[in-house]
Amino acid sequence: MANPGGGTVCNGKLHNHKKQSNGLQGRNCTKNGIVKEAQQNGKTHFYDKLIVESFEEAPLHVMVFTYMGYGIGTLFGYLRDFLRNWGIEKCNAAVERKEQRDFVPLYQDFENFYTRNLYMRIRDNWNRPICSAPGPLFDVMERVSDDYNWTFRFTGRVIKDVINMGSYNFLGLAAKYDESMRTIKDVLEVYGTGVSSTRHEMGTLDKHKELEDVVAKFLNVEAAMVFGMGFATNSMNIPALVGKGCLILSDELNHTSLVLGARLSGATIRIFKHNNTQSLEKLLRDAVIYGQPRTRRAWKKILILVEGVYSMEGSIVHLPQIIALKKKYKAYLYMDEAHSIGAVGPTGRGVTEFFGLDPHEVDVLMGTFTKSFGAAGGYIAGRKDLVDYLRVHSHSAVYASSMSPPIAEQIIRSLKHLMGLDGTTQGLQRVWQLAKNTRYFRQRLQEMGFIIYGNENASVVPLLLYMPGKVAAFARHMLEKKIGVVVVGFPATPLAEARARFCVSAAHTREMLDTVLEALDEMGDLLQLKYSRHKKSARPELYDETSFELED
C-alpha cells in the first residue's frame, strides 16, 4: 500500500528517504493558538494568528426546559405508539407487512421513534422545494399538509425573492446564467452532459486533466485528482490509504463521509475530543508506546482525520498544533476542506493559507467543489506519488462515473476567477467581501445576545435554539418574513443543542444582512432566544485544551 508522504510508518516512526520540498523550518506553535514564527525557503516570516472561537453554555433553566420538552414528547410518543398498535390512531409510518409479523422488526429503533413522534411534527421546516438558482435570493414553492406533515401538497403559489441564508454558496458563484458562463455553454455543446464511464475506462477527458492541473496550481501542491461526488471523495479514498493494522485518529465532530470512509477501511478507529490537541497527543503517545492491541506490534500507519471548518460548529481546526503533533509522532494528516476551501484565507486557499502554513505540511488535502465553487464533486491533492497511487487504487476512480464536463468547466472558471487568471480581481474581491460579511454578521448577533458557536472567520454561523418547539417556530416565522434558514437538530446535533445554521455569502449585500438581522432581533425577543450571558462552555472537554490532562 502506498504511503501519503512517500514513506512508511513503523511503531509511529516515519522512515522516509525523500526530502520534502518547500517545507517549513523552525516553526513554533503555542498551546493557546498563537503562531509566532515560521521560516520558509530561507526567509523568516512573523505573524500572529490567534484562534478566536466561542462556545458559550446555555443558562441552566434553558437546558432544564429543553430536556423537559424532550421528556414530555417521549412520554406522549409512547402513548401514541400504544394507540397506533391497537388501531385507535392511524399509523402513517412504515410498518411490517402482516406476513412478516413473526420477523424481527425492521424499523423499530430509537431514531425511528424520534422521527415518528417529534420530527414529523416539525417536518415542514425541512426539504422545502426551491424553484430558482441558489443565489442570495431564491424562490420557494409553497406547500401545506392536511395530515400533520406526513404528506404535503403544493398550493401553486411561489414565494418570491426569499433571502437565502442556508446555501453553501459562500462566494456567490452559484447563480443564474450570465455571459461569464459562456465557456460552460460551449463545453456542454462539445462534450454533452455526461461521460457515462469511469476514469479507468473511457471517462477521462482533457477537461479533467485541465481541471486537475488548475487545482494543483491553486493549492500550490504537486498534483491533484478530481472525483464526481464530494461525499465519495472521502468515503472511497480513505479505504485506499489505510486498512487493517492501521490506526485512524478522528475528531469526534468529523463529517459522516469521513466516518464512513474510516469504517470501510477496516482500520482501528479512535476518537479524540474536538479540536483538543492534548486529547490527540494522548492517543498518539499511547499508539506509539503500546502499538496494536493484543499483539503489541507497531501500527502500520497512523492517520489523523480532521476538517478545515466544521459545518455544525463553525469552528476552524487548530492546524499548527496538529501539524506539530503529526511531526512529533510521525503520523499522517488527512484534512477535509469542504467548507474552508474558497471561503477561508486571504485568497481563498483554505486553512493552510489562513495560518500561513505550507500546504506540503498536510499529507492529504481533500476538498469539495459543491460549496464555494457552485458545482459538484471533490478532489484529493498533495504529493505526486500519493495522487498516482489513488489513480490506480481509489474505488471512486475504478467504479464511479467521471465528473460531468460542464461541471468541470464551471470549476475551472471559478478557480481561474479566484486566481485572477480571467484578467480581473473580482475573485479576490469576493473572498474579501465574504470575510467582511462574516465578521459583520457574527458581531451583530453577539451584540444582540444570541449564543453562536464557532470561529469569528467561519462563514458557517450556528445560532443555538435548544428547544424543539422553538426550532419549528423560528423557521416558520423566518419564512413568513421571506428569509430562508436551515434549522438542525438531533441526530445531526446533540439532543439538547438544536440550532439554526446560517451560511454567509459574498453575494449578500449589507442591506440583505441588515434585513435578516432585524428579523432575528425581533424573533429573538418574540421567542426569547437571546440566552447569551458570556459564560464559558459547560462542555470544556470539547473545547478547552487545558481541561484534558495527560496521564503520566
Side-chain angles (χ1 to χ4, degrees):
M1 183 176 293
N3 301 309
T8 58
V9 172
C10 298
N11 202 21
K13 295 183 179 180
L14 177 66
H15 303 280
N16 191 351
H17 302 289
K18 295 183 180 180
K19 209 167 187 180
Q20 295 255 350
S21 60
N22 299 324
L24 292 182
Q25 305 292 330
R27 180 169 309 285
N28 297 315
C29 303
T30 63
K31 190 168 71 172
N32 63 1
I34 301 176
V35 182
K36 290 187 176 179
E37 180 183 345
Q39 185 173 344
Q40 182 176 4
N41 298 328
K43 297 180 181 180
T44 301
H45 305 277
F46 292 91
Y47 51 89
D48 194 23
K49 180 68 69 176
L50 179 63
I51 302 175
V52 181
E53 295 184 342
S54 173
F55 294 95
E56 184 182 348
E57 70 170 350
L60 178 61
H61 74 277
V62 174
M63 300 308 296
V64 169
F65 283 122
T66 299
Y67 282 111
M68 283 181 59
Y70 280 107
I72 294 171
T74 300
L75 290 176
F76 275 92
Y78 280 116
L79 174 62
R80 296 188 68 182
D81 279 352
F82 173 81
L83 297 176
R84 293 183 187 117
N85 289 336
W86 285 92
I88 300 173
E89 179 180 334
K90 181 182 178 182
C91 181
N92 293 301
V95 294
E96 305 293 342
R97 292 180 296 169
K98 292 182 179 180
E99 55 268 30
Q100 289 184 310
R101 286 187 173 177
D102 295 331
F103 285 46
V104 176
L106 182 62
Y107 306 111
Q108 186 174 342
D109 56 35
F110 174 72
E111 288 190 7
N112 194 43
F113 172 88
Y114 175 91
T115 300
R116 287 193 309 271
N117 296 293
L118 199 148
Y119 168 74
M120 294 305 296
R121 299 177 67 88
I122 57 177
R123 184 183 169 209
D124 56 299
N125 299 294
W126 290 276
N127 310 314
R128 287 172 174 157
I130 309 302
C131 53
S132 67
L137 301 173
F138 56 31
D139 300 334
V140 180
M141 298 176 65
E142 187 182 64
R143 60 180 184 171
V144 295
S145 177
D146 300 317
D147 53 6
Y148 304 102
N149 293 335
W150 287 99
T151 61
F152 294 96
R153 61 179 175 83
F154 294 110
T155 63
R157 177 173 172 260
V158 174
I159 306 174
K160 293 281 188 179
D161 296 329
V162 177
I163 299 178
N164 181 4
M165 294 301 297
S167 296
Y168 294 128
N169 185 22
F170 295 131
L171 296 178
L173 294 174
K176 297 178 181 178
Y177 179 83
D178 59 41
E179 192 58 32
S180 67
M181 300 179 186
R182 169 68 61 178
T183 57
I184 302 172
K185 184 177 181 181
D186 294 340
V187 167
L188 178 63
E189 291 175 350
V190 174
Y191 293 87
T193 57
V195 182
S196 301
S197 184
T198 68
R199 293 293 298 271
H200 270 206
E201 295 169 343
M202 300 183 69
T204 298
L205 306 176
D206 56 346
K207 276 294 165 187
H208 296 141
K209 175 61 177 171
E210 180 184 355
L211 173 57
E212 289 170 349
D213 291 342
V214 174
V215 170
K217 183 177 181 181
F218 178 71
L219 297 174
N220 193 26
V221 294
E222 294 178 7
M225 183 177 181
V226 298
F227 304 88
M229 181 181 178
F231 190 97
T233 304
N234 277 331
S235 60
M236 296 291 100
N237 282 294
I238 293 174
L241 295 174
V242 291
K244 189 175 181 180
C246 299
L247 174 65
I248 291 176
L249 302 180
S250 178
D251 189 294
E252 65 177 340
L253 296 183
N254 275 342
H255 189 262
T256 305
S257 59
L258 289 168
V259 174
L260 179 60
R263 290 175 177 173
L264 290 175
S265 71
T268 300
I269 304 169
R270 290 175 183 167
I271 309 301
F272 63 91
K273 299 297 182 182
H274 174 56
N275 254 346
N276 193 315
T277 51
Q278 291 195 5
S279 173
L280 174 60
E281 183 169 15
K282 183 181 185 301
L283 293 177
L284 283 167
R285 191 178 67 175
D286 289 348
V288 171
I289 294 173
Y290 300 113
Q292 300 183 42
R294 292 179 297 184
T295 64
R296 298 305 178 191
R297 292 180 179 177
W299 295 101
K300 294 179 181 178
K301 299 176 190 173
I302 300 175
L303 181 66
I304 303 170
L305 294 182
V306 296
E307 291 187 53
V309 171
Y310 291 83
S311 60
M312 285 297 169
E313 308 298 309
S315 55
I316 294 180
V317 64
H318 295 179
L319 188 60
Q321 296 91 326
I322 290 179
I323 287 179
L325 289 177
K326 172 189 90 91
K327 292 180 177 179
K328 180 179 179 181
Y329 293 95
K330 306 301 185 289
Y332 291 116
L333 177 59
Y334 183 114
M335 183 167 67
D336 177 347
E337 291 213 80
H339 293 85
S340 55
I341 193 67
V344 172
T347 62
R349 284 172 167 82
V351 177
T352 54
E353 184 186 48
F354 176 75
F355 286 108
L357 300 173
D358 190 329
H360 293 89
E361 299 278 8
V362 181
D363 300 293
V364 187
L365 286 164
M366 177 271 173
T368 64
F369 304 115
T370 55
K371 280 82 177 178
S372 297
F373 305 102
Y379 66 83
I380 294 285
R383 295 176 61 92
K384 188 176 185 301
D385 54 357
L386 162 74
V387 175
D388 289 343
Y389 175 81
L390 290 177
R391 291 188 192 282
V392 178
H393 295 88
S394 170
H395 299 292
S396 188
V398 176
Y399 300 110
S401 180
S402 296
M403 180 182 288
S404 169
I407 293 295
E409 179 60 28
Q410 161 65 8
I411 303 166
I412 293 171
R413 166 184 167 271
S414 300
L415 287 170
K416 289 182 176 179
H417 187 59
L418 281 180
M419 298 165 70
L421 298 180
D422 59 353
T424 72
T425 61
Q426 293 180 6
L428 278 179
Q429 290 173 9
R430 288 178 184 268
V431 177
W432 298 339
Q433 186 63 46
L434 174 62
K436 185 178 179 181
N437 286 350
T438 297
R439 287 192 292 269
Y440 174 74
F441 192 72
R442 280 182 168 273
Q443 182 180 355
R444 287 289 308 276
L445 287 178
Q446 288 177 333
E447 291 171 354
M448 290 177 185
F450 292 103
I451 293 180
I452 61 173
Y453 277 180
N455 191 286
E456 62 179 0
N457 295 286
S459 305
V460 177
V461 187
L463 186 153
L464 275 293
L465 304 173
Y466 299 105
M467 303 180 194
K470 292 188 177 183
V471 170
F474 181 85
R476 290 165 183 162
H477 283 302
M478 291 297 282
L479 185 59
E480 289 175 2
K481 295 179 178 293
K482 300 183 73 172
I483 299 172
V485 299
V486 171
V487 287
V488 191
F490 178 83
T493 68
L495 188 66
E497 291 189 19
R499 63 199 67 175
R501 186 179 62 182
F502 298 98
C503 294
V504 183
S505 172
H508 287 139
T509 64
R510 180 60 61 90
E511 291 74 19
M512 291 178 186
L513 294 180
D514 284 339
T515 299
V516 174
L517 289 166
E518 183 180 346
L520 286 173
D521 193 20
E522 180 182 341
M523 202 58 53
D525 293 331
L526 175 66
L527 300 178
Q528 298 183 353
L529 298 172
K530 298 178 180 180
Y531 303 123
S532 178
R533 296 187 300 178
H534 305 288
K535 291 182 65 177
K536 199 173 183 180
S537 173
R539 298 159 65 196
E541 72 278 6
L542 285 183
Y543 309 116
D544 186 1
E545 292 187 29
T546 59
S547 70
F548 197 95
E549 296 292 338
L550 287 175
E551 298 176 1
D552 294 328

